[in-house]
Amino acid sequence: MKNKIWFVTGASKGLGLALVKKLLSSGYRVAATSRNVNDLKKAVDAGSESFLPLAVDLKNESSVENAIKETVSHFGSIDVIVNNAGYGLVGSLEELTDAEVRENFDVNVFGVLNVIRKAMPFLRKQKSGHIFNIASIGGFTGNFPGFGSYTATKFAMHGFSESLAAEAKPFGVHVTIVSPGYFRTEFLDASLGVPKNEIADYKLVRDVQTLHQNEINYKQAGDPVKAAAVMIEIAEQTTPPLHVFLGRDSYQLAEQKIKLIQEDMAAVKELATSTDHEQ
């Protein structure tokens, strides 16, 4: 049996489920969370020795804290945290209500921070650990009309993960931001929210919404089983990377964004760097 104890959120479907199944088949012990623990138990057929299914409300700090403590009590420690839970929200920024956007941030951002806040005391004390924050290529490039709220949550994850990496390094704790491209999971149906108040003028946004729900859905190039294998291999590395762009499409989009930034910087460099006080 592999030594590291994994804790995976959002594990009843998609990438989280693929990761849990791959971990268990590889001999790891895994605590996994879902809002509905019965869905999790149905999805994963494993013995209690190696698998601990937990019903967790990520927006509730007490619920998260209890899950972390139960994991440590059950397995004796906790080593690898995978913040995978989250959902997409499509709609122009004008269409989306304050409540819709705040709920998106509550789950995708503040839910992740709750897990980090409750897991770090254990990782800090044992002077080891690894936190995987599953972001998105949409957290590196926001050029997706209709996905402004979702990409904002993932940009936030990139930002606080980089800070966390610097804060956690003295304690021997690694942080890896995983930015997947399109993977063939249920993300675009079960996990995609839409605005209650659509505005007819936003034809481009509706076209993007239809494209994702009807044409891209279940035709994505990425294989979640292969993605899970990549993450497990990275977790076993001595010096794992901070940034992992997962999938060919993710690499292509990241390279396009980097090129665009370099072009924009070069275009106004002389003007933009003329702001210092005169010596």
Side-chain angles (χ1 to χ4, degrees):
M1 184 171 285
K2 302 295 175 66
N3 290 327
K4 290 179 179 177
I5 309 299
W6 287 64
F7 180 91
V8 183
T9 69
S12 62
K13 58 182 180 293
L15 180 58
L17 178 58
L19 177 59
V20 168
K21 287 183 173 181
K22 183 68 175 176
L23 286 166
L24 292 170
S25 67
S26 301
Y28 292 92
R29 287 165 290 174
V30 182
T33 82
S34 175
R35 286 175 297 177
N36 189 322
V37 75
N38 289 326
D39 289 347
L40 191 52
K41 290 177 179 178
K42 289 177 184 176
V44 182
D45 182 19
S48 59
E49 272 191 33
S50 58
F51 179 56
L52 178 64
L54 298 164
V56 177
D57 177 4
L58 293 176
K59 297 186 294 180
N60 184 306
E61 278 194 280
S62 296
S63 179
V64 172
E65 183 175 24
N66 290 338
I68 297 287
K69 287 181 176 178
E70 191 171 345
T71 300
V72 174
S73 176
H74 186 82
F75 291 123
S77 67
I78 190 168
D79 301 293
V80 184
I81 308 294
V82 182
N83 284 304
N84 171 70
Y87 71 96
L89 178 61
V90 60
S92 73
L93 293 176
E94 183 184 354
E95 291 174 307
L96 295 171
T97 65
D98 179 75
E100 287 170 329
V101 174
R102 285 180 186 275
E103 178 68 14
N104 204 199
F105 270 79
D106 278 344
V107 175
N108 292 10
V109 176
F110 295 107
V112 174
L113 291 173
N114 283 340
V115 175
I116 291 168
R117 193 177 297 116
K118 300 306 179 183
M120 272 303 297
F122 293 96
L123 305 183
R124 179 164 45 82
K125 183 178 180 181
Q126 68 194 23
K127 294 288 192 286
S128 67
H130 196 157
I131 297 174
F132 284 88
N133 288 333
I134 311 301
S136 166
I137 185 56
F140 187 74
T141 175
N143 189 24
F144 298 97
F147 283 89
S149 174
Y150 175 73
T151 59
T153 67
K154 296 304 182 178
F155 266 78
M157 183 177 278
H158 271 254
F160 69 65
S161 295
E162 290 184 3
S163 292
L164 176 64
E167 294 166 0
K169 186 175 181 180
F171 308 112
V173 177
H174 301 291
V175 176
T176 296
I177 309 161
V178 181
S179 297
Y182 287 100
F183 278 81
R184 202 168 298 178
T185 69
E186 305 92 334
F187 179 78
L188 291 177
D189 49 23
S191 302
L192 188 64
V194 297
K196 294 177 182 177
N197 306 310
E198 293 184 356
I199 298 174
D201 285 349
Y202 282 103
K203 184 179 182 303
L204 174 61
V205 172
R206 295 289 83 74
D207 289 344
V208 169
Q209 180 179 330
T210 300
L211 177 69
H212 280 78
Q213 291 177 318
N214 299 333
E215 296 181 37
I216 294 176
N217 201 14
Y218 294 108
K219 296 177 184 176
Q220 300 96 323
D223 182 344
V225 176
K226 292 181 178 179
V230 169
M231 290 175 59
I232 294 169
E233 185 170 335
I234 288 172
E236 293 296 338
Q237 294 178 353
T238 305
T239 54
L242 173 57
H243 292 279
V244 173
F245 292 95
L246 202 55
R248 291 179 186 272
D249 56 348
S250 182
Y251 259 76
Q252 290 169 355
L253 289 166
E255 287 165 351
Q256 289 171 13
K257 172 68 178 283
I258 292 167
K259 182 181 178 183
L260 177 62
I261 290 173
Q262 290 174 330
E263 290 173 350
D264 283 347
M265 290 176 68
V268 294
K269 183 177 181 179
E270 185 174 351
L271 176 64
T273 57
S274 65
T275 55
D276 291 350
H277 285 289
E278 296 295 334
Q279 297 297 322

